[in-house]
Amino acid sequence: MTNVFVTVDQVETPARFIDVRFNLMDNNEGRTQYEKEHVAGAVYFDLEKDLSDMSKQAGRHPMPEKEQLIELFEHVGLHLADRIYIYDQGGAPFAPRAWWMLKYAGFENVSIVNGGFEALKNAGYATTSNKESFDRSSITPNWQQDIYADREYVKAITEGAKEAILLDARAAIRYRGEHEPLDPVAGHIPTAKNFDWEQVKDGTHLVVTDELKQAVPTDQEVVVYCGSGVTASPLYTVLKEAGYDHVKLYVGSYSDWITKYPIATGEE
């Protein structure tokens, strides 16, 4: 089984690289950085243009349709058997979001480069500003529905119809409903526990922590969510790195949940 995270010295070639640098406060910054300098051969996936369907009303970073993902992967010439390495600026949620999307489509040999772009550059990987071009591919995805949770699946958990832990990846003050800078309603999904994703961030690396393993039993299903499905992705990937078998991502997350169902505040 391929490790979720690799260090630069564990990168094997030949390989395909995907650059997903992004800034939630400036949605042009990542592409600008890519066009200025990227690992030679790397293609760019944009969080909002490629890894979300911003035309949908299903949270702030909605799940693309399967047909959109197929087009994205085929356009840049990816094959399911490719060895693929994803990087962002390091210690960010964007490589985990892309990793989850690729795993959802059935790509098996895909890893996140801990340390991000600078680690690859400092290790001597060639960089360029050239526009990358690959022959179009044709793939038949092996969709992994068991890693995806929608709003109704989460509702069943809150009602006790399904047994799973809901894990809220946002800061504790947002979880408790004391401060909400982005969504119109403050609080969390009922029954959810809180574990801020920043707790698995160590500089430009994402790491498994004892605190996370203590907070989440290994023998239970876990459904992770955040505000829009982006910052829950690091928790998802770190849980998988730690050996948790049954983990799902609620891509719509809290911003999708509040469009239909009630919330809770304070501590569960």
Side-chain angles (χ1 to χ4, degrees):
M1 182 177 176
T2 305
N3 289 345
V4 178
F5 298 99
V6 295
T7 55
V8 289
D9 59 324
Q10 294 173 311
V11 172
E12 299 178 25
T13 56
R16 291 294 305 272
F17 287 93
I18 302 174
D19 185 320
V20 291
R21 286 175 288 176
F22 197 79
N23 182 346
L24 288 166
M25 299 297 106
D26 178 357
N27 58 15
N28 292 315
E29 183 178 293
R31 183 173 290 278
T32 299
Q33 290 174 329
Y34 171 82
E35 290 174 350
K36 180 180 179 182
E37 185 180 27
H38 57 265
V39 172
V43 295
Y44 184 71
F45 285 177
D46 186 289
L47 170 67
E48 297 188 344
K49 293 182 174 68
D50 300 315
L51 303 176
S52 310
D53 182 348
M54 304 299 281
S55 69
K56 288 184 176 180
Q57 302 298 314
R60 284 183 281 106
H61 288 100
M63 179 78 177
E65 294 296 326
K66 289 177 179 177
E67 293 74 18
Q68 292 171 286
L69 290 175
I70 292 171
E71 172 59 27
L72 173 66
F73 302 146
E74 290 185 344
H75 178 71
V76 298
L78 293 182
H79 298 86
L80 289 183
D82 286 345
R83 181 186 289 120
I84 301 170
Y85 295 101
I86 308 171
Y87 68 85
D88 53 23
Q89 54 267 54
F94 313 115
R97 168 79 166 208
W99 184 90
W100 184 91
M101 292 283 184
L102 286 158
K103 297 297 285 187
Y104 176 66
F107 290 86
E108 294 185 5
N109 197 2
V110 53
S111 298
I112 296 166
V113 180
N114 249 335
F117 173 72
E118 292 298 331
L120 287 163
K121 182 179 177 179
N122 291 339
Y125 280 82
T127 63
T128 183
S129 60
N130 293 343
K131 183 176 176 62
E132 305 291 348
S133 179
F134 293 90
D135 291 337
R136 187 181 178 88
S137 61
S138 178
I139 64 171
T140 301
N142 178 23
W143 300 108
Q144 304 295 304
Q145 291 296 142
D146 61 337
I147 70 172
Y148 170 73
D150 61 15
R151 188 198 300 148
E152 297 309 310
Y153 191 93
V154 172
K155 181 173 182 284
I157 297 171
T158 68
E159 294 173 341
K162 291 187 183 293
E163 188 173 338
I165 295 172
L166 282 175
L167 199 61
D168 187 318
R170 298 172 301 162
I173 56 171
R174 292 183 69 193
Y175 167 81
R176 293 193 297 264
E178 296 166 7
H179 175 65
E180 182 46 63
L182 299 170
D183 292 307
V185 181
H188 60 265
I189 298 174
T191 75
K193 295 182 177 181
N194 179 228
F195 195 92
D196 186 345
W197 81 274
E198 296 266 6
Q199 293 176 261
V200 300
K201 180 176 178 176
D202 182 8
T204 57
H205 289 61
L206 295 171
V207 297
V208 177
T209 66
D210 290 338
E211 290 78 9
L212 181 61
K213 290 191 289 186
Q214 290 166 6
V216 185
T218 57
D219 59 348
Q220 286 190 259
E221 180 178 293
V222 186
V223 177
V224 293
Y225 78 90
C226 55
S228 72
V230 177
T231 59
S233 303
L235 278 192
Y236 182 94
T237 51
V238 169
L239 285 166
K240 295 304 293 183
E241 179 78 0
Y244 287 73
D245 292 326
H246 306 294
V247 190
K248 298 179 189 289
L249 177 65
Y250 175 21
V251 179
S253 281
Y254 185 74
S255 57
D256 174 58
W257 176 266
I258 60 175
T259 63
K260 191 166 182 179
Y261 295 124
I263 55 91
T265 56
E267 299 281 358
E268 287 291 338

